[in-house]
Amino acid sequence: MNETSTSDQEEQTVIAPQIATEGQLASDVADILIVGAGASGAAVAWRLTQAGFSVVCLEQGRWFNPGFYPTTKQNWEILGRHEWNWDPNKRGNPEDYPVNDSESDITPLMFAAVGGSTIHWTAHTPRFHPSDFRVKTLDGVADDWPLTYDDLDPYYDMNDMMMGCSGINGDPAVPPRSPRPMPPIPLGEDGEHMAAAFDRLGWHWWPSDNYVNSVPYKGRDACNYCGPVGFGCTRKAKSSTDVNYWPEAIRLGAVIKTHARVSEITIGTDGRATGANYLDRAGNIHHQAARSVVMAGNGIGTPRLLLMSKSDAHPDGLLNSSGLVGKNLMFHPYAMTTGFIPDLSETWKGPMGNILMSQEFYETDPRRDFVRGYAYQLNRGSGPLFTALGGAHQPVKWGAGHHEDFAERFGHAITLAGIGEDLPEEHNTVTLDEQLTDSSGLPAPKINYTLSENSHRMMDHSIKSATTVLQEAGATRIMANPLLRGGGWHLMGTARMGDDPERSVVDKWCQAHDADNVFIVDGSVFVTAGAVNPTPTLQAIALRAADYIAHERDDLKG
Amino acid sequence: MPTTDRQLTDVDRVVLTRVMDLIIPSTGDFPGAGGLGLAERLERASMRYGRLRSGLLTVLDAMSLDIASRIEGGFAALDEERQIAAIASVESDLPIQFSEFVELVYETYYTDSRVYEHIGWADRPPQPEGFDLKPWDPTILEKIRNREPFWREVS
């Protein structure tokens, strides 16, 4: 029998000894206080320690030892559904905060740890298109960004080198760019089969960019194609910031305080930030003083903390003179279309998340009944339990016909995940829940989110087109889910950037309009969402903001 | 039905085993979920996850109440057709809890070594062995590489 050993929980809490930093002393007043040790906070920490700033990061989670992730366990699928669930409400670790998502069409996913959600992401890392930054000008919707693709291009490159990007140049759907440091992950038999179907239709496809090593890179192993990359990578082949940015930043002097839950950004009489109050594991309150605060707590955690940080100078929450903190929440809606292809028999082999990508329907086409567009990510099948439970679809039927249903799906599934551009709407919000709290008694966030009609039409289109591809590939059965409710991986827009302080929270350098020593560098600052995974873009934005601080804000260095 | 301290009775366990066999029936010579002797393991697994435990107890409660009102001897005394109808009735009346119960049955069955062997799944965790993939073949890009760039330029 394959049951969890009693030591699983203990093993998961082992702190990586070479980089353990809990309890490490920080300078009394840090130059830079970063809230959150995930994708963007790590990038800023590395860049600013390089530039000679003293950096302290407060992280409510802990270090995880990659050697003990679920994929080394016999019962990895059960752990993935419970202790390692992507949904904090289902996972329920004490360092997670719950989210009231009862009035949201999509449930948010996140992970509290050093490395943040890069621990459990699938590391699919395409870039935004130039058009994504100019949707108002091009299509008359939402707003343009105050920066351009070209502004971010060098930072995309820098991030690709630090995180480690596998991929190949020549994609006709995107602008020319510098080479990736590693060749692409092999497509596998299933990927080549699907690529041929796209080719026969004359539709675009290209091998996915992945922050997964196709060859050994910077001391980390190459991927061995085990499959479930979403539960952490024991080989460190999948990039996460606990194994790349943070070790470098710590070597340069950065300090991370783990199990440090920030309850408030503190404000001086001049209305500027003075640091943050935080609670340790025992519930003791501490204050970390700082010359500057960098918010990197994701598109829900950051507005939550800003709304919790009320003061005389900021009565509606910190940085909220525009009233836009917590508004314009964007997810990427996912429509999942799965085909079962008899010619394929082992679609569990290889990274689950991203075989190849199609951007055939990415840009606005006036002949369609929606504006903007979507991309496809090709996902593989999964292990026996996840197959039986249906993944994005109905579970395998119980009773008569059970085994036939299972056999038709297992090893034969390929999913076209349609990821759509979600446009900002002010009624989609993050607020503070009046009853629900985290394990420290702090208010939990409440999400109000309704998918727009434009996005619904876009997702319907993606199902029709995916069905065409899957039929071309020989699928004998196709299942479709027009909106994956549990698909809120990407949290964006809740403290957006702009030139006008009345219509935005931060400027193009991520500096707050209301307090010049507070910066926001996570997905909160996105003006629009694009139709690709946001992490390379938010990390590029974070690195750019760090360079602005390094070059223009010497006053923040003690 | 479950006692007030929420432990299963021997009668519950008999019912559970039979229900598991109807949820995942035998196939050829290979036993169903109940016949594999997985009820005890399911019960233990339910102790670990409160939501699934609640689903198990609620479904067993509903089954007992439903059947007890209809026939002496309860669920076990019904013929197979009526047993299936009784399960379907609980599914209809308590869809969320029934779904949690089925989830628990699947979690127990599809992580069992004998089932792995039966369906052709290697009985080992994904790591450290991983899998092999055919090496990257750049010639597969031949057609798509020749497509004209079609990304949208901005001024």
Side-chain angles (χ1 to χ4, degrees):
Chain A
M1 298 296 172
N2 314 314
E3 295 188 43
T4 308
S5 75
T6 54
S7 62
D8 279 351
Q9 287 301 309
E10 294 163 27
E11 287 175 349
Q12 287 169 15
T13 62
V14 170
I15 295 170
Q18 73 277 21
I19 46 179
T21 51
E22 187 178 7
Q24 194 169 327
L25 292 176
S27 54
D28 289 338
V29 181
D31 293 338
I32 308 291
L33 168 60
I34 299 172
V35 181
S40 60
V44 168
W46 169 72
R47 197 63 174 160
L48 287 180
T49 49
Q50 256 192 344
F53 288 79
S54 67
V55 172
V56 172
C57 177
L58 300 178
E59 165 55 50
Q60 64 187 335
R62 52 186 148 153
W63 287 97
F64 279 89
N65 185 335
F68 295 102
Y69 286 142
T71 50
T72 61
K73 306 280 195 291
Q74 196 75 23
N75 63 341
W76 63 277
E77 289 192 286
I78 291 178
L79 293 172
R81 291 188 48 75
H82 299 285
E83 288 88 341
W84 281 83
N85 197 296
W86 298 332
D87 184 339
N89 290 343
K90 293 179 178 169
R91 192 171 58 237
N93 287 342
E95 56 263 47
D96 292 317
Y97 51 81
V99 180
N100 181 346
D101 57 20
S102 59
E103 294 180 41
S104 177
D105 288 346
I106 297 175
T107 57
L109 309 174
M110 61 185 80
F111 197 70
V114 178
S117 295
T118 64
I119 300 287
H120 74 185
W121 69 338
T122 57
H124 186 216
T125 53
R127 297 180 177 187
F128 271 34
H129 288 209
S131 65
D132 290 328
F133 300 93
R134 289 290 176 273
V135 300
K136 179 77 168 178
T137 298
L138 294 172
D139 295 321
V141 293
D143 284 297
D144 291 346
W145 291 55
L147 49 72
T148 67
Y149 178 89
D150 289 340
D151 291 330
L152 290 184
D153 192 29
Y155 296 101
Y156 275 129
D157 286 349
M158 184 186 298
N159 195 59
D160 281 354
M161 298 303 289
M162 281 300 291
M163 296 291 283
C165 185
S166 296
I168 188 166
N169 283 32
D171 184 351
V174 299
R177 48 155 294 170
S178 56
R180 286 82 167 167
M182 288 176 277
I185 300 285
L187 296 181
E189 182 190 6
D190 46 10
E192 292 187 0
H193 184 88
M194 293 304 299
F198 277 98
D199 273 349
R200 288 195 296 275
L201 291 168
W203 287 5
H204 171 263
W205 71 275
W206 198 257
S208 289
D209 279 347
N210 291 289
Y211 287 168
V212 177
N213 294 354
S214 58
V215 295
Y217 184 74
K218 292 195 172 183
R220 294 185 286 114
D221 281 339
C223 179
N224 66 354
Y225 316 127
C226 79
V229 290
F231 305 122
C233 181
T234 61
R235 296 166 64 83
K236 306 180 189 175
K238 183 192 78 173
S239 197
S240 50
T241 60
D242 60 320
V243 299
N244 48 44
Y245 273 116
W246 276 118
E248 277 299 298
I250 289 167
R251 187 179 62 78
L252 293 165
V255 170
I256 303 180
K257 294 183 178 180
T258 55
H259 294 288
R261 173 171 272 158
V262 176
S263 58
E264 180 185 16
I265 306 301
T266 54
I267 299 299
T269 52
D270 60 356
R272 301 172 82 238
T274 57
N277 290 332
Y278 67 96
L279 297 120
D280 63 21
R281 253 188 297 196
N284 302 310
I285 298 177
H286 305 266
H287 183 256
Q288 174 65 55
R291 294 179 183 84
S292 176
V293 173
V294 175
M295 307 288 291
N298 82 42
I300 289 177
T302 287
R304 174 197 184 212
L305 183 53
L306 293 175
L307 293 172
M308 284 161 55
S309 302
K310 291 180 180 172
S311 63
D312 289 343
H314 304 279
D316 299 318
L318 186 59
L319 316 183
N320 200 17
S321 65
S322 66
L324 290 175
V325 169
K327 293 184 178 173
N328 295 303
L329 172 66
M330 294 176 284
F331 294 107
H332 281 128
Y334 276 88
M336 311 297 276
T337 312
T338 299
F340 303 100
I341 302 173
D343 287 348
L344 302 174
S345 59
E346 294 180 318
T347 62
W348 60 70
K349 287 185 175 178
M352 183 274 286
N354 319 292
I355 312 172
L356 59 83
M357 186 178 195
S358 173
Q359 302 196 67
E360 183 68 29
F361 304 102
Y362 195 89
E363 303 285 2
T364 295
D365 183 337
R367 294 169 297 180
R368 301 185 197 125
D369 63 353
F370 57 89
V371 68
R372 306 300 297 158
Y374 62 90
Y376 286 125
Q377 303 168 13
L378 249 69
N379 296 345
R380 289 192 161 90
S382 51
L385 175 58
F386 285 118
T387 299
L389 292 170
H393 306 290
Q394 287 295 311
V396 168
K397 67 173 74 166
W398 65 268
H402 173 87
H403 296 290
E404 292 76 10
D405 190 4
F406 180 83
E408 191 171 25
R409 302 190 198 194
F410 185 52
H412 304 295
I414 289 287
T415 296
L416 268 69
I419 168 175
E421 174 162 358
D422 193 20
L423 293 168
E425 298 177 284
E426 286 195 18
H427 61 82
N428 290 329
T429 60
V430 177
T431 55
L432 299 180
D433 195 272
E434 292 180 2
Q435 274 96 38
L436 189 65
T437 63
D438 64 19
S439 60
S440 304
L442 302 172
K446 179 179 182 184
I447 309 302
N448 287 76
Y449 176 88
T450 307
L451 193 72
S452 71
E453 280 306 311
N454 187 68
S455 291
H456 274 298
R457 289 193 292 270
M458 187 187 293
M459 293 295 92
D460 288 346
H461 190 278
S462 89
I463 289 174
K464 287 177 188 162
S465 301
T467 299
T468 300
V469 179
L470 289 164
Q471 286 172 337
E472 179 64 32
T476 52
R477 178 182 175 190
I478 292 170
M479 300 177 82
N481 178 350
L483 178 62
L484 181 65
R485 182 163 192 266
W489 286 279
H490 309 150
L491 315 170
M492 301 165 285
T494 48
R496 66 186 195 159
M497 63 166 58
D499 295 326
D500 180 356
E502 293 187 358
R503 295 293 306 147
S504 58
V505 179
V506 298
D507 67 14
K508 64 183 177 181
W509 304 107
C510 298
Q511 179 176 301
H513 294 303
D514 290 358
D516 72 358
N517 69 337
V518 181
F519 296 79
I520 303 175
V521 297
D522 55 41
S524 307
V525 304
F526 279 35
V527 179
T528 54
V532 291
N533 312 55
T535 302
T537 300
L538 70 85
Q539 288 184 303
I541 288 169
L543 290 168
R544 183 172 179 270
D547 271 8
Y548 169 77
I549 293 170
H551 298 140
E552 305 294 335
R553 295 300 305 271
D554 225 31
D555 58 305
L556 300 178
K557 190 182 283 184
Chain B
M1 57 186 295
T3 54
T4 50
D5 63 1
R6 311 304 284 162
Q7 298 302 309
L8 300 194
T9 66
D10 289 344
V11 172
D12 287 324
R13 292 187 179 108
V14 170
V15 171
L16 175 61
T17 298
R18 178 61 185 148
V19 172
M20 288 173 73
D21 262 341
L22 294 170
I23 297 288
I24 304 182
S26 61
T27 172
D29 294 336
F30 196 75
L36 279 173
L38 293 174
E40 185 185 345
R41 184 173 160 225
L42 180 147
E43 191 181 345
R44 283 204 311 277
S46 76
M47 303 294 280
R48 184 169 178 141
Y49 303 116
R51 178 176 62 85
L52 300 184
R53 176 76 173 173
S54 173
L56 167 66
L57 295 173
T58 304
V59 166
L60 285 176
D61 275 346
M63 202 83 73
S64 300
L65 290 170
D66 185 51
I67 302 310
S69 65
R70 285 202 248 164
I71 186 170
E72 191 175 344
F75 184 83
L78 295 171
D79 61 29
E80 180 167 318
E81 189 178 340
R82 288 184 182 181
Q83 286 178 332
I84 292 170
I87 296 171
S89 169
V90 174
E91 179 182 30
S92 173
D93 292 345
L94 298 165
I96 294 172
Q97 293 88 342
F98 185 79
S99 157
E100 289 166 347
F101 172 69
V102 170
E103 192 179 318
L104 189 54
V105 175
Y106 286 9
E107 280 195 5
T108 309
Y109 182 85
Y110 282 107
T111 53
D112 184 85
S113 300
R114 295 163 294 175
V115 175
Y116 283 167
E117 185 179 357
H118 180 68
I119 63 176
W121 176 257
D123 186 11
R124 61 170 175 83
Q127 291 291 355
E129 286 183 53
F131 295 109
D132 290 326
L133 280 189
K134 183 179 162 187
W136 164 247
D137 174 10
T139 64
I140 196 170
L141 295 174
E142 202 170 299
K143 181 169 182 180
I144 187 63
R145 260 194 195 286
N146 289 324
R147 182 166 172 176
E148 287 296 313
F150 64 101
W151 54 278
R152 201 173 176 191
E153 298 211 41
V154 297
S155 54

Short mmCIF file of all heavy atoms in Angstrom, two decimals, chain A residues 266-291:
data_model
loop_
_atom_site.label_atom_id
_atom_site.label_comp_id
_atom_site.label_asym_id
_atom_site.label_seq_id
_atom_site.Cartn_x
_atom_site.Cartn_y
_atom_site.Cartn_z
N THR A 266 4.48 50.68 7.84
CA THR A 266 4.40 51.81 8.77
C THR A 266 4.77 53.10 8.06
O THR A 266 5.59 53.12 7.14
CB THR A 266 5.32 51.58 9.98
OG1 THR A 266 6.65 51.31 9.51
CG2 THR A 266 4.83 50.41 10.80
N ILE A 267 4.14 54.17 8.51
CA ILE A 267 4.23 55.45 7.83
C ILE A 267 4.68 56.53 8.80
O ILE A 267 4.22 56.58 9.95
CB ILE A 267 2.83 55.84 7.27
CG1 ILE A 267 2.35 54.78 6.27
CG2 ILE A 267 2.85 57.22 6.61
CD1 ILE A 267 3.24 54.63 5.06
N GLY A 268 5.57 57.42 8.36
CA GLY A 268 6.01 58.53 9.18
C GLY A 268 5.09 59.73 9.05
O GLY A 268 4.11 59.71 8.29
N THR A 269 5.40 60.76 9.78
CA THR A 269 4.54 61.94 9.76
C THR A 269 4.54 62.64 8.41
O THR A 269 3.62 63.39 8.08
CB THR A 269 5.02 62.95 10.84
OG1 THR A 269 6.43 63.18 10.64
CG2 THR A 269 4.77 62.41 12.24
N ASP A 270 5.56 62.36 7.63
CA ASP A 270 5.62 62.95 6.29
C ASP A 270 4.84 62.12 5.26
O ASP A 270 4.84 62.45 4.06
CB ASP A 270 7.07 63.12 5.83
CG ASP A 270 7.83 61.80 5.78
OD1 ASP A 270 7.24 60.76 6.16
OD2 ASP A 270 9.01 61.80 5.37
N GLY A 271 4.22 61.03 5.70
CA GLY A 271 3.44 60.20 4.77
C GLY A 271 4.26 59.19 4.02
O GLY A 271 3.72 58.45 3.20
N ARG A 272 5.57 59.13 4.31
CA ARG A 272 6.42 58.17 3.63
C ARG A 272 6.59 56.92 4.50
O ARG A 272 6.43 56.95 5.72
CB ARG A 272 7.79 58.79 3.33
CG ARG A 272 7.69 60.03 2.44
CD ARG A 272 9.02 60.74 2.31
NE ARG A 272 9.89 60.13 1.32
CZ ARG A 272 11.11 59.66 1.57
NH1 ARG A 272 11.58 59.69 2.80
NH2 ARG A 272 11.84 59.15 0.60
N ALA A 273 6.94 55.82 3.86
CA ALA A 273 7.08 54.56 4.59
C ALA A 273 8.31 54.60 5.49
O ALA A 273 9.36 55.16 5.12
CB ALA A 273 7.19 53.40 3.61
N THR A 274 8.19 53.98 6.66
CA THR A 274 9.32 53.88 7.58
C THR A 274 9.74 52.42 7.79
O THR A 274 10.70 52.15 8.51
CB THR A 274 8.96 54.48 8.95
OG1 THR A 274 7.79 53.80 9.46
CG2 THR A 274 8.66 55.97 8.84
N GLY A 275 9.01 51.50 7.23
CA GLY A 275 9.31 50.08 7.41
C GLY A 275 8.03 49.27 7.48
O GLY A 275 7.03 49.65 6.87
N ALA A 276 8.07 48.19 8.24
CA ALA A 276 6.88 47.34 8.33
C ALA A 276 6.83 46.65 9.69
O ALA A 276 7.87 46.31 10.27
CB ALA A 276 6.89 46.29 7.23
N ASN A 277 5.62 46.47 10.18
CA ASN A 277 5.39 45.61 11.33
C ASN A 277 5.14 44.19 10.84
O ASN A 277 4.46 44.00 9.82
CB ASN A 277 4.18 46.08 12.14
CG ASN A 277 4.45 47.39 12.86
OD1 ASN A 277 5.59 47.70 13.20
ND2 ASN A 277 3.40 48.17 13.07
N TYR A 278 5.67 43.22 11.56
CA TYR A 278 5.41 41.84 11.17
C TYR A 278 5.32 40.94 12.38
O TYR A 278 5.81 41.27 13.47
CB TYR A 278 6.49 41.32 10.20
CG TYR A 278 7.87 41.18 10.77
CD1 TYR A 278 8.32 39.95 11.25
CD2 TYR A 278 8.75 42.26 10.83
CE1 TYR A 278 9.61 39.80 11.77
CE2 TYR A 278 10.02 42.13 11.34
CZ TYR A 278 10.46 40.89 11.81
OH TYR A 278 11.73 40.76 12.33
N LEU A 279 4.65 39.81 12.19
CA LEU A 279 4.47 38.83 13.26
C LEU A 279 5.36 37.63 12.99
O LEU A 279 5.44 37.16 11.85
CB LEU A 279 3.01 38.37 13.32
CG LEU A 279 2.01 39.47 13.67
CD1 LEU A 279 1.01 39.63 12.56
CD2 LEU A 279 1.33 39.16 14.97
N ASP A 280 6.01 37.14 14.03
CA ASP A 280 6.77 35.90 13.86
C ASP A 280 5.85 34.70 14.13
O ASP A 280 4.66 34.86 14.39
CB ASP A 280 8.01 35.89 14.76
CG ASP A 280 7.67 35.92 16.25
OD1 ASP A 280 6.54 35.56 16.63
OD2 ASP A 280 8.55 36.32 17.04
N ARG A 281 6.42 33.50 14.10
CA ARG A 281 5.61 32.29 14.25
C ARG A 281 4.87 32.23 15.58
O ARG A 281 3.81 31.66 15.69
CB ARG A 281 6.50 31.05 14.10
CG ARG A 281 6.28 30.35 12.82
CD ARG A 281 7.02 29.04 12.77
NE ARG A 281 8.47 29.18 12.86
CZ ARG A 281 9.32 28.21 12.55
NH1 ARG A 281 8.87 27.06 12.13
NH2 ARG A 281 10.62 28.40 12.63
N ALA A 282 5.47 32.83 16.60
CA ALA A 282 4.85 32.79 17.92
C ALA A 282 3.82 33.89 18.10
O ALA A 282 3.19 34.00 19.15
CB ALA A 282 5.94 32.90 18.99
N GLY A 283 3.68 34.73 17.10
CA GLY A 283 2.72 35.83 17.19
C GLY A 283 3.29 37.10 17.77
O GLY A 283 2.55 38.06 18.02
N ASN A 284 4.59 37.13 18.02
CA ASN A 284 5.21 38.36 18.53
C ASN A 284 5.33 39.39 17.42
O ASN A 284 5.67 39.05 16.28
CB ASN A 284 6.61 38.05 19.08
CG ASN A 284 6.57 37.02 20.19
OD1 ASN A 284 5.80 37.14 21.14
ND2 ASN A 284 7.38 35.98 20.06
N ILE A 285 5.09 40.63 17.76
CA ILE A 285 5.14 41.71 16.77
C ILE A 285 6.54 42.33 16.77
O ILE A 285 7.11 42.61 17.83
CB ILE A 285 4.08 42.79 17.06
CG1 ILE A 285 2.68 42.18 16.99
CG2 ILE A 285 4.21 43.94 16.07
CD1 ILE A 285 1.58 43.14 17.34
N HIS A 286 7.06 42.53 15.57
CA HIS A 286 8.37 43.17 15.40
C HIS A 286 8.22 44.32 14.41
O HIS A 286 7.24 44.38 13.67
CB HIS A 286 9.39 42.17 14.84
CG HIS A 286 9.52 40.93 15.65
ND1 HIS A 286 10.47 40.77 16.63
CD2 HIS A 286 8.83 39.76 15.60
CE1 HIS A 286 10.36 39.55 17.16
NE2 HIS A 286 9.37 38.92 16.56
N HIS A 287 9.22 45.19 14.41
CA HIS A 287 9.25 46.24 13.40
C HIS A 287 10.57 46.18 12.65
O HIS A 287 11.63 46.08 13.28
CB HIS A 287 9.08 47.63 14.02
CG HIS A 287 9.04 48.72 12.98
ND1 HIS A 287 10.10 49.55 12.72
CD2 HIS A 287 8.06 49.08 12.11
CE1 HIS A 287 9.77 50.39 11.74
NE2 HIS A 287 8.53 50.13 11.36
N GLN A 288 10.50 46.17 11.36
CA GLN A 288 11.71 46.27 10.53
C GLN A 288 11.73 47.66 9.93
O GLN A 288 10.85 48.02 9.12
CB GLN A 288 11.71 45.22 9.43
CG GLN A 288 12.86 45.37 8.44
CD GLN A 288 14.23 45.13 9.07
OE1 GLN A 288 14.47 44.10 9.68
NE2 GLN A 288 15.12 46.12 8.95
N ALA A 289 12.70 48.46 10.33
CA ALA A 289 12.81 49.81 9.79
C ALA A 289 13.51 49.77 8.44
O ALA A 289 14.37 48.92 8.20
CB ALA A 289 13.60 50.69 10.76
N ALA A 290 13.14 50.67 7.56
CA ALA A 290 13.73 50.69 6.22
C ALA A 290 13.61 52.08 5.60
O ALA A 290 12.70 52.84 5.94
CB ALA A 290 13.05 49.66 5.33
N ARG A 291 14.53 52.37 4.71
CA ARG A 291 14.46 53.64 3.97
C ARG A 291 13.49 53.55 2.81
O ARG A 291 13.04 54.56 2.27
CB ARG A 291 15.85 54.02 3.46
CG ARG A 291 16.82 54.34 4.59
CD ARG A 291 18.21 54.71 4.11
NE ARG A 291 19.05 54.91 5.29
CZ ARG A 291 19.66 53.92 5.94
NH1 ARG A 291 19.54 52.67 5.51
NH2 ARG A 291 20.37 54.17 7.02
#
